[in-house]
Amino acid sequence: MFSLTFVFLVLKLSFLFCYLSDPRCFWRIKDRENYLGDKEADCFFSMYTKHGYVKNDYFSENLDKKVTLKTIHLISSVYFAAEEINRNSYILPNTSLIVKIECNLIADNVKRIWSLKKKEIIPNYYCKNQRRYLIVLTGPIWITSYILGPFLYFSQTPELYCGHFHLLLNDQEQFPHLYQMTPKDTSLPQGMVSLAVHFRWNWVGVIITDDDHGIQFLSELRAGMESNTVCLAFVTIITYNRKLYLKMYHKYYHQITMSSAKVVIVYGDKESPLQFNFILWKSENIQRLWVSVSQFDIITMIGEFMLNSVHGTLIFSHQQSEMSGFKQFMQTVHPSNYSNDISLAKLWWTYFKCSLPPPDCKTLKNCPTKTLLKRFFVPPLGMSMSETCYNLYNSVYAVAHSLHEMLLQQVDTCSENDGKVLEFNSWKTIQFVNPVGDLINMNQNRERDTEYDIFYIMDFLKHEGLKMKIGRFSGHFPNGQQLFISDEMIEWATDIKQTIASACSVPCRPGLRKYFQEGKAVCCFDCYPCPENEISNMTDMDQCLKCPEDEYANTDQTNCLKKVVTFLDYKEPLGMALTGLAVLFSSLTVVVLCVFLKHRDTPIVKANNETLSYVLLISLIFCFICSLLYIGYPSMVSCILQQTTFAMVFTVSASCVLAKTITVVLAFKITVPGRRLRWLLLSGAPNYIIPICTTIQMMLCGIWLGISPPFVDADLHMVHGHIIIVCNKGSVIAFYCVLGYMGSLALASFTVAFLARNLPDTFNEAKLLTFSMLVFCSVWITFLPVYHSTKGKAMVAVEVFCILASSAGMLLCIFVPKCYLILWRPQINSFHEFRKMHVKNKNIN
């Protein structure tokens, strides 16, 4: 038995991936002439046996009953199975199954039930306590089994219920001899949720009937939705109470019309007022995509499909295989009623093979009518069984296999009356493979993960309907592999994958995140942009993802991009320009130094302390050159050198200017020989200002390097999208102390030079020193706010520019006028002219 089950499952798994390679379509003609529509009658199929081949007398006991075509279809499935078994020599040889059928028991015998005339209404019960029937098959209406089931219990007659599974009939204490052929819809809620996730429907309405069956389904559906972020837009619970239903009808109507959900799940008892609800909604032109089960795949009394919509209907069905030979059997039994395919199509769905795509059209909507009609009426056509018919068919085979097993065990169950009737005392749990290859397991205690075929039903033309198998759901597969949908079939039939959307909120595109609204379902949200440097690379993300430190978010905030490593490079235009200026001014300073050395014996060079001029020019050369340390990829050595070199050479330059300014002041203060301060000027005391000031600056730099020296730093956040490689100052306090000390020297030089600017002399450079210190101070005062307002390599460029500007200011303001006199006014720069001018000034005084 185990090996049979294993082989069957292996074959089932292999067929699951290719079952849509040969797709089948179904068509049906709407029957507007039959006011009963697909109404089903409650029937009892009482079975017993006789020796030899005995042909069932089809419908002999039901011709006087008003049964619909749908009921005849059910009855025919039982006779079809019995006829196959009776003609099969391998099952119950020399024994025939006989079926007695009684329909409309509730409608015809309700008064007799309460009058307790049991022998007229209850099969298998006689005053002599003799059992005639082996088993009773019931369906498709569950209420029949619920009412008459206790009477069957008195006679201990087994009952196979072949309608849709119902919780009330699952009570083993109340119905110990009843078995439901249809498995419980354990996987149905999960299958419907998987379908919603596949089509990205997160805002779905639900309509159920007010019974335990519907409430349990809703509970399981809600649990599956919560774990998959699918929300209930509304829940409509249809009451069974007729008076209450009439009061609640408008509420039901407003619930569905006021909701933005375009997809609605329908589940419950079709015999409830639910059917009437859809008939009224049809007149109100309520258009939704319905998702339901096969029992709602019916034609109503107005000749339309119960779940009728321009968007179509998706149906979950237990139906597995079509029954070969069933069409021919129907035509044989009633040749006048079912002699052609049109009559069969009025009774039930008739299938045909539909290749994809048709040769004349790419989609069904674009197919010419003539093309489709030719395809529909090309033989061979087959007749599909409904779910209840298929269960009745399997039930007959289950009875046959059970009796056959009893015969093999040589159990004597012959009737004491005539010896021609075979009976058995109890129902057994068996499993078998039916003629179409489906495994039927009658073990009620076994957990069964139901497989569902998924059909799409739509109106074709005006009076016909078209049904196509678009997928399957298998509950025994792992999560993520349970649902199989044929996109090719859907695209041929309709565009629902692209056009139908059922969502509470517009999906948040990549770059946005969901912001949930307080007090509303999780599917209702607003879309907000991601924070800075965060991304969302998928639709409907709850939280944005922060980019790594070395990456940044693009403009749309959908991807993280690598940050560009940047620094002030020699190869870029700004670096090249600053390098060129540094080389130009340092070269110019060298030229000026050469001019002064060549004309060192002239009055204009000697008059202003030529030693200090040489030191100042050399320090300015180093000032220009030290700016090159700021350009290029920083290193630990370059970071330390650029700060210390800058501090030292500028201190030397500023102290030289201060020394020259003090020299000018002393020269004009000491005008009388023998004065006490004369020795300061003659001894060269102002020259000692340079080493003293430089030593102090050197001490400050030493403290800076000892406490927190400059180092190479990568700033990841200063400029968006860039990693700035800069020299970190280390101790900011030490940096500003060094800068402040240089500023104090420059301010002192400016003050002294400003006071001495009007002292009379031919070559008095006090005014030149004043202007140079004015430029110097202006540049560095401007430096502070500009430096702190810039980012990245622009900060380094500002610092380099200030070094060049302040150095160039001293060079141009102090030495260019002197070079002009030396090179272009040499007649003035001579001792002869100097004496003439001195005598002239003396006479004037």
Side-chain angles (χ1 to χ4, degrees), residues 126-168:
Y126 292 90
C127 295
K128 295 181 180 180
N129 197 26
Q130 294 179 352
R131 290 179 295 158
R132 181 181 177 187
Y133 301 116
L134 301 174
I135 192 168
V136 175
L137 311 182
T138 60
I141 301 176
W142 68 272
I143 193 65
T144 306
S145 296
Y146 183 77
I147 294 176
L148 299 182
F151 296 101
L152 291 175
Y153 171 71
F154 295 152
S155 61
Q156 297 183 353
T157 302
E159 177 186 359
L160 286 179
Y161 171 68
C162 301
H164 297 280
F165 182 89
H166 204 283
L167 283 175
L168 293 178

Side-chain angles (χ1 to χ4, degrees), residues 406-407 411-415 421-425:
M406 293 172 63
L407 286 176
V411 177
D412 186 12
T413 58
C414 292
S415 172
V421 179
L422 187 64
E423 300 182 15
F424 63 97
N425 296 321

